[in-house]
């Protein structure tokens, strides 16, 4: 008996110590920002001061406490193609391109390369952006103001010196790891570095690569700024910005870049693209990060004390999983903390909690967000809406009798009161993003035809069940993969065409509800 009691006390002590560790890991007001881990170490006093002695702007947002969080520096060298390398901190190869001299304030730049994702997260200090040297539309306009505008006008083209870094005029003490030679064209990197660490891959217009290629080194006497941005700032270029799936890959990339670089609180955000406003999606960008501006909205050369370049959404595991086998399964952070497993991940749970917390929804692991009795069944609909300047407002149907299926489900639910079921009409195209996220987190079952709206399952809670209706023309693995990587129960109905028999959908739902004791 004494032995058992001792084991219980030791277990409680270990659990409380773990909870305190997580609290002080996330809560920016509870401690000073931690020093960089070994593989992020830099000898530059100036860089260290940038992180440690910077006073937090009261408008910046703290990181929320997330039940599924695991420290991003826990494993500095995750195995190649492991789940942590795909979804977490696989950016384990440090590349110190420009070190600031210890006695003189000057710029610095470094990248962290992921062999698994074949991409890099880069960051630097005392970086100047010249908006007039970035050729693209202004961005941030209302959609009805820019109808018909071409996509090429909205994606950036960088002239030489679009970005610059301040260096000491007689500085000859920088690493040669990709740093270009001297002369009149003082480039930060050469083509060999770009080809090795910012690979073009299958991306026809790799804007991050082009941005880094545009960076020039300038002396202090030529480094004049019309505005200084003191807080850490993410520079993000969006491509398919009106599509929820692609936008989620951008959200994830920005989140990963923030964690990889160890930011003590949520960064500012600057869109280095000329896209117009997409209200519901931009609402989430603003919720996730401390502030949002468009590059072309700056009126002159703007200098960033600390800028972070997020990889393109195309380079995340969420996108790469469509063409390569990423054999990872969702698991709880608690289980992985006790028993690490390279084939399991809690990172998508963590990310989903981040989205929910950004909108103010509680993510306490002891709280259930489901209805007290019964179950919410969310039917995600596809609606016509005007997506972008080149869109006609009509979406392609993946389920030709969607309304018939919804009406049949509604009728069935009304006839089965023995188990309280709330059928939610998920008209996401006309709902604020916060309400979309609320509907996802409150759902016990999510049903929908294959379409970008189902990407919201990244925010679903661990016990949510997914039922995807798949037409013969759209047999793609997007949502089956997300469900697998989150560890969600997933079911599918494959159609011969685009017509679903309502009775078959109801039968499948009945089977799912039985598994939920309903």
């Amino acid at each position: 008996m004494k032995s058992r009691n001792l084991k219980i006390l030791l277990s409680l002590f270990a659990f409380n110590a773990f909870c305190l560790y997580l609290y002080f890991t996330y809560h920016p007001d509870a401690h000073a920002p931690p020093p960089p881990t070994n593989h992020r170490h830099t000898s530059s006093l100036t860089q260290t001061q940038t992180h440690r002695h910077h006073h937090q702007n009261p408008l910046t947002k703290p990181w929320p406490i997330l039940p599924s969080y695991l420290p991003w520096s826990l494993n500095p060298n995750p195995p190649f193609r492991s789940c942590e390398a795909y979804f977490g901190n696989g950016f384990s190869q440090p590349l110190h391109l420009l070190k600031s001299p210890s006695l003189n304030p000057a710029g610095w730049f470094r990248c962290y390369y992921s062999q698994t994702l074949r991409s890099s997260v880069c960051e630097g200090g005392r970086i100047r952006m010249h908006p007039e040297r970035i050729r693209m539309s202004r961005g941030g306009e209302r959609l009805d103001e820019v109808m018909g505008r071409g996509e090429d006008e909205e994606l950036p083209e960088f002239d030489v010196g679009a970005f610059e870094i301040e260096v000491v005029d007689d500085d000859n003490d920088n690493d040669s790891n990709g740093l270009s030679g001297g002369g009149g064209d003082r480039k930060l990197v050469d083509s060999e570095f770009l080809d090795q660490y910012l690979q073009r891959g299958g991306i026809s217009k790799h804007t991050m690569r082009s941005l880094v290629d545009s960076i020039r080194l300038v002396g202090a006497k030529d480094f004049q700024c019309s505005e200084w941005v003191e807080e850490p700032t993410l520079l993000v270029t969006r491509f398919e910005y009106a599509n929820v799936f692609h936008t989620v890959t951008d959200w994830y990339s920005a989140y990963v870049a923030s964690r990889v670089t160890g930011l003590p609180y949520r960064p500012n955000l600057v869109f280095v693209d000329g896209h117009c406003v997409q209200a519901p999606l931009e609402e989430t960008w603003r919720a996730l990060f401390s502030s949002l501006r468009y590059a072309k909205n700056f009126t002159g050369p703007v200098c960033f004390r600390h800028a972070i370049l997020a990889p393109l959404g195309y380079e995340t595991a969420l996108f790469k999983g469509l063409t390569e086998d990423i054999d990872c399964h969702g698991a709880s952070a608690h289980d992985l903390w006790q028993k690490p497993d390279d084939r399991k991940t809690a990172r998508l749970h963590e990310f989903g909690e981040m989205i929910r917390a950004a909108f103010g929804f509680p993510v306490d692991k002891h709280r259930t967000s489901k209805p007290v009795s019964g179950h919410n069944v969310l039917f995600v609909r596809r609606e016509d809406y005007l997506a972008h300047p080149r869109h006609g407002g009509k979406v392609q149907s993946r389920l030709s009798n969607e309304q018939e299926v919804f009406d049949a489900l509604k009728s069935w639910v009304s006839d089965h009161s023995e188990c309280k079921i709330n059928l939610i009409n998920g008209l996401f195209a006309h709902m604020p993003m916060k309400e979309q996220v609320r509907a996802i987190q409150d759902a016990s079952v999510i049903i929908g035809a294959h379409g970008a709206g189902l990407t919201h399952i990244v925010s679903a809670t661990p016990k949510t069940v997914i039922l995807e209706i798949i037409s013969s023309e759209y047999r793609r693995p997007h949502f089956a993969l997300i469900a697998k990587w989150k560890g969600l129960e997933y079911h599918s109905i494959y159609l011969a065409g685009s017509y679903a028999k309502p009775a078959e959908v109801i039968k499948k739902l009945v089977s799912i509800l039985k598994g939920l004791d309903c």
Side-chain angles (χ1 to χ4, degrees):
M1 180 66 70
K2 290 181 179 179
S3 174
R4 187 177 68 178
N5 289 340
L6 180 62
K7 289 180 179 179
I8 292 173
L9 286 173
L10 289 174
S11 298
L12 289 172
F13 176 79
F15 178 75
N16 287 332
F18 174 63
C19 291
L20 284 171
Y21 171 76
L22 288 184
Y23 175 79
F24 285 105
T25 297
Y26 303 91
H27 207 294
D29 298 327
H31 63 92
T37 56
N38 289 336
H39 73 292
R40 298 289 190 259
H41 176 72
T42 172
S43 61
S44 167
L45 176 64
T46 303
Q47 293 172 51
T48 304
Q49 287 175 334
T50 298
H51 289 287
R52 293 189 183 178
H53 299 296
H54 185 288
H55 295 290
Q56 181 179 345
N57 186 316
L59 298 179
T60 57
K61 300 175 182 177
W63 291 112
I65 296 177
L66 309 175
S68 294
Y69 176 90
L70 289 174
W72 285 67
S73 58
L74 189 63
N75 183 358
N77 292 292
F80 176 64
R81 290 177 64 87
S82 65
C83 293
E84 180 65 6
Y86 269 118
F87 293 98
N89 196 357
F91 297 88
S92 55
Q93 183 177 345
L95 307 162
H96 295 284
L97 293 166
L98 189 65
K99 293 182 179 179
S100 176
S102 59
L103 298 179
N104 297 294
W108 55 275
F109 197 89
R110 62 192 174 209
C111 294
Y112 311 117
Y113 178 67
S114 167
Q115 184 182 6
T116 297
L117 293 174
R118 302 179 297 282
S119 68
S120 295
V121 172
C122 297
E123 63 175 339
R126 300 184 74 85
I127 295 178
R128 180 170 63 184
M129 178 179 73
H130 291 274
E132 73 278 7
R133 298 178 188 173
I134 306 175
R135 288 177 281 118
M136 63 184 181
S137 49
R138 180 174 177 81
E141 311 93 342
R142 293 201 321 267
L143 178 56
D144 59 3
E145 296 175 337
V146 294
M147 290 303 298
R149 184 168 67 188
E151 185 176 22
D152 288 343
E153 299 176 61
E154 298 180 340
L155 292 176
E157 294 283 352
F158 301 101
D159 292 334
V160 171
F163 287 81
E164 296 171 325
I165 302 178
E166 181 187 12
V167 295
V168 177
D169 292 331
D170 59 352
D171 178 25
N172 292 310
D173 190 32
N174 288 308
D175 284 359
S176 59
N177 190 6
L179 188 64
S180 182
D185 185 24
R186 303 175 70 189
K187 295 182 64 174
L188 174 67
V189 299
D190 55 24
S191 58
E192 183 178 351
F193 175 88
L194 294 172
D195 290 341
Q196 187 168 359
Y197 300 112
L198 291 170
Q199 302 166 22
R200 192 182 306 278
I203 303 171
S204 59
K205 191 169 186 175
H206 198 303
T207 51
M208 181 179 174
R209 174 189 171 103
S210 299
L211 188 159
V212 174
D213 190 36
S214 81
I215 298 177
R216 297 300 186 267
L217 310 179
V218 300
K221 64 179 181 296
D222 297 320
F223 198 79
Q224 304 300 318
C225 309
S226 62
E227 178 180 349
W228 273 94
V229 178
E230 298 291 339
E231 295 77 22
T233 301
L234 277 170
L235 306 181
V236 172
T237 299
R238 305 162 298 163
F239 278 74
E240 299 174 65
Y241 71 108
N243 178 285
V244 177
F245 174 78
H246 289 283
T247 300
V248 167
T249 67
D250 285 332
W251 292 340
Y252 194 70
S253 181
Y255 177 70
V256 168
S258 302
R259 291 302 199 182
V260 166
T261 52
L263 299 184
Y265 44 87
R266 289 187 261 173
N268 295 326
L269 181 69
V270 170
F271 284 150
V272 188
D273 62 56
H275 297 309
C276 64
V277 170
Q278 254 294 335
L281 298 177
E282 190 160 309
E283 179 187 351
T284 309
W285 283 111
R286 293 185 182 276
L288 286 170
F289 300 99
S290 287
S291 70
L292 170 60
R293 295 180 72 174
Y294 286 76
K296 281 288 192 178
N297 292 169
F298 291 96
T299 56
V302 56
C303 292
F304 300 98
R305 196 73 64 184
H306 183 189
I308 303 95
L309 308 183
L312 304 182
Y314 295 129
E315 296 176 308
T316 62
L318 291 167
F319 188 85
K320 286 181 176 289
L322 302 177
T323 55
E324 59 186 81
D325 182 23
I326 301 179
D327 185 21
C328 293
H329 298 265
S332 74
H334 178 267
D335 289 346
L336 289 177
W337 180 265
Q338 292 188 324
K339 186 179 180 181
D341 189 331
D342 290 338
R343 298 267 63 86
K344 294 181 180 179
T345 181
R347 293 301 183 194
L348 285 191
H349 281 305
E350 175 187 336
F351 178 57
E353 290 166 358
M354 180 66 210
I355 293 174
R356 303 204 309 272
F359 282 112
F361 297 122
V363 291
D364 187 338
K365 65 180 179 181
H366 298 299
R367 175 188 178 276
T368 175
S369 60
K370 308 299 185 188
V372 176
S373 62
H375 295 281
N376 281 0
V377 175
L378 172 64
F379 193 98
V380 179
R381 308 290 296 272
R382 284 182 62 80
E383 303 175 84
D384 291 337
Y385 71 103
L386 197 59
H388 54 76
R390 297 158 297 282
H391 191 248
K394 295 287 185 181
V395 298
Q396 191 170 11
S397 174
R398 312 285 172 81
L399 179 58
S400 59
N401 63 325
E402 183 182 275
Q403 186 62 48
E404 180 187 5
V405 172
F406 178 79
D407 291 342
L409 287 170
K410 186 176 180 180
S411 177
W412 179 84
V413 165
S414 65
D415 291 338
H416 290 76
S417 57
E418 65 275 9
C419 180
K420 184 180 178 182
I421 302 171
N422 306 304
L423 181 64
I424 310 299
N425 192 6
L427 299 171
F428 280 4
H430 297 92
M431 290 170 62
M433 188 59 69
K434 183 172 183 176
E435 296 310 309
Q436 296 180 41
V437 174
R438 187 196 304 275
I440 290 289
Q441 77 157 9
D442 288 349
S444 296
V445 183
I446 298 173
I447 304 175
H450 181 93
L454 281 182
T455 316
H456 280 302
I457 65 176
V458 296
S459 301
T461 56
K463 298 298 183 181
T464 307
V465 182
I466 312 301
L467 173 57
E468 183 181 6
I469 303 172
I470 305 173
S471 73
S472 59
E473 294 184 18
Y474 293 94
R475 296 191 174 178
R476 299 168 184 169
H478 298 62
F479 312 115
L481 287 173
I482 293 175
K484 173 184 172 182
W485 296 332
K486 278 183 65 77
L488 302 179
E489 183 180 335
Y490 174 86
H491 302 267
S492 58
I493 297 175
Y494 287 94
L495 308 180
S498 62
Y499 180 88
K501 296 178 181 178
E504 184 178 353
V505 178
I506 292 171
K507 180 180 179 181
K508 195 71 173 181
L509 177 60
V510 169
S511 174
I512 291 171
L513 290 172
K514 283 182 179 178
L516 298 176
D517 298 324
C518 183

